[in-house]
Structures are given as structure tokens and as C-alpha cells.
Amino acid sequence: MSLRPVLAVILGLAAAAMGVAVQAAPLPSPSGEVILTIRGDIAHPNVGDEARFDRAMLDRLASHTIVTTTPWQPGPGRFEGPLFSALLEAVGADGDEVRVGALNGFEARIPVSDFRQYDVILAMWRNGEPMPIRDFGPLFVVYPFDEHPELMTEAIRFRSVWQVNRIFVY
């Protein structure tokens, strides 16, 4: 009997096992106050068909800092928070667009391509302080305006949602 078929089976099983090992870990359940809920075309919910995040869960995602001016605030600010792409990866998002909603009912559609092209963040911190609701918090979609002047358009300003509390992936 040839070893070739046996080796092929062993290699195939090893590759399959490795594929399982590299899949994203399931999302833990939030232990604190939920500040963000993600629904829609996601593979990794943690409560029913939703992915719910508290502040600590968002803090554990790949973070990024953007120092930029925005059309709504005087002078540049230092914004920190998870990369939007890391957030979508964590929930296993499989869509071309997201609808980002705010506490006041405002919603904006954002193409996922924005998150691949620019380091867009879901800012939780401004100048080292948590962002309160009255100052665009608790979460604010921030584009790197100063680094990419081409972003200073009406369309991008519309996508820069503040007081974010929900995202729908489709």
C-alpha cells in the first residue's frame, strides 16, 4: 500500500483543523452597560441574533488614534477608538454597507469600502477623556480629515455619525 493516499488524508485533516483554529473566537457577552448593538449580516452574535458591546469589549478591539479637525469642533482633537474594520471583523460582518444609527434616531449609510480605504474609527475618547453624550459620545464615527483632505465633503460629513448606539450590516 502506498503512503501517498494516507499522507494526503493526514494533510487534509491537518489543514481542516488549522482552518478551525484560525476562525474568530466567539464574542463574549457584555458584562457592563451595552453601548453598541450590531445586527444584520453578521456571523458572530453574542445575544440572540445581535452582537452587543460594552465599553470594555470595544476597548479590547484593535485601536487607532486620529488627530484631526472636524467640521463640528474647534481645533484639532485626538480621537481614539476601535478601527471600524476591526469591529466588523469581530462580528464576522459580510456586507457591502452599514447603516449607523444615533441615539437621536439619525442614521447614515456607509460603504464598507470606506473602512478599507481609510482608517475610520469608532471614537470613544477625545483628548484622553471618554466622550460624553453631550460631546458627540459615547461613540463617534471619525474619518482622518486632516490626513485626507479629499474627505471634507458633504457625503463624508453625513457619514460621520455621533452618539452612535447601533449598526446594521447589509
Side-chain angles (χ1 to χ4, degrees), residues 38-42 88 93-95 97-99 167-170:
I38 303 176
R39 299 182 70 214
D41 196 357
I42 61 172
L88 294 180
D94 187 27
E97 201 166 61
V98 297
R99 188 175 63 234
I167 297 170
F168 188 84
V169 180
Y170 58 100

Side-chain angles (χ1 to χ4, degrees), residues 115-158:
F115 311 133
R116 289 188 209 109
Q117 188 171 1
Y118 305 103
D119 286 333
V120 179
I121 65 171
L122 194 57
M124 300 170 49
W125 307 87
R126 181 170 192 261
N127 299 327
E129 299 290 328
M131 294 175 41
I133 290 173
R134 71 179 176 279
D135 287 328
F136 299 85
L139 304 169
F140 179 16
V141 177
V142 177
Y143 283 78
F145 290 106
D146 289 356
E147 188 177 332
H148 297 279
E150 72 273 15
L151 293 172
M152 200 55 84
T153 66
E154 183 75 21
I156 298 299
R157 286 192 300 268
F158 187 79

Side-chain angles (χ1 to χ4, degrees), residues 19-169:
V20 169
V22 297
Q23 286 181 351
L27 282 178
S29 294
S31 58
E33 178 186 356
V34 173
I35 62 172
L36 178 67
T37 301
I38 303 176
R39 299 182 70 214
D41 196 357
I42 61 172
H44 309 299
N46 59 3
V47 179
D49 63 348
E50 300 177 338
R52 296 181 187 173
F53 289 84
D54 60 23
R55 184 171 285 279
M57 293 169 68
L58 292 171
D59 268 335
R60 287 193 290 271
L61 295 174
S63 186
H64 189 69
T65 300
I66 297 175
V67 177
T68 192
T69 54
T70 71
W72 310 279
Q73 298 167 320
R78 178 184 173 90
F79 297 93
E80 299 171 65
L83 285 164
F84 218 107
S85 58
L87 179 63
L88 294 180
E89 184 178 321
V91 299
D94 187 27
D96 296 325
E97 201 166 61
V98 297
R99 188 175 63 234
V100 179
L103 292 169
N104 66 359
F106 177 81
E107 291 187 342
R109 293 177 182 223
I110 305 174
V112 171
S113 60
D114 278 13
F115 311 133
R116 289 188 209 109
Q117 188 171 1
Y118 305 103
D119 286 333
V120 179
I121 65 171
L122 194 57
M124 300 170 49
W125 307 87
R126 181 170 192 261
N127 299 327
E129 299 290 328
M131 294 175 41
I133 290 173
R134 71 179 176 279
D135 287 328
F136 299 85
L139 304 169
F140 179 16
V141 177
V142 177
Y143 283 78
F145 290 106
D146 289 356
E147 188 177 332
H148 297 279
E150 72 273 15
L151 293 172
M152 200 55 84
T153 66
E154 183 75 21
I156 298 299
R157 286 192 300 268
F158 187 79
R159 296 173 188 169
S160 300
V161 181
W162 56 78
Q163 298 179 337
V164 173
N165 70 340
R166 66 191 178 283
I167 297 170
F168 188 84
V169 180

